[in-house]
Amino acid sequence: GLWTSNLQALPGDLFADHEVGTVTGLSGAGGAVGGILANLATGWVVQNFTYAPIFLAAGLVHPISAAIIYGMLPAKMFPRSSEA
């Protein structure tokens, strides 16, 4: 749920009003292509190995992508302070 909320909110926060629809559409298209490739890869991995790599990837892909997004956010959106 957290990932979906961020995925829907970030384009509205980071892009101009006239760009939000395009960005959201490209995100959806990327997700669809990713889903196709994930299905193909899952079949091959399970056939040649086990389900363990699939579960590992499923557990790691969202935290890794969240870290990438956090690292790529402009400083004005999420100020990083050296004070803890």
Side-chain angles (χ1 to χ4, degrees), residues 13-28:
D13 292 340
L14 298 175
F15 295 94
D17 292 343
H18 65 279
E19 297 172 328
V20 173
T22 302
V23 172
T24 303
L26 288 173
S27 174

Side-chain angles (χ1 to χ4, degrees), residues 6-79:
N6 282 315
L7 188 64
Q8 296 300 319
L10 282 174
D13 292 340
L14 298 175
F15 295 94
D17 292 343
H18 65 279
E19 297 172 328
V20 173
T22 302
V23 172
T24 303
L26 288 173
S27 174
V33 171
I36 292 168
L37 296 175
N39 282 327
L40 293 172
T42 298
W44 184 85
V45 170
V46 170
Q47 181 179 3
N48 293 295
F49 302 102
T50 65
Y51 276 101
I54 301 301
F55 289 128
L56 181 65
L60 291 176
V61 78
H62 285 94
I64 289 171
S65 60
I68 291 170
I69 289 173
Y70 170 77
M72 294 179 70
L73 284 175
K76 68 178 184 169
M77 296 300 294
F78 198 71

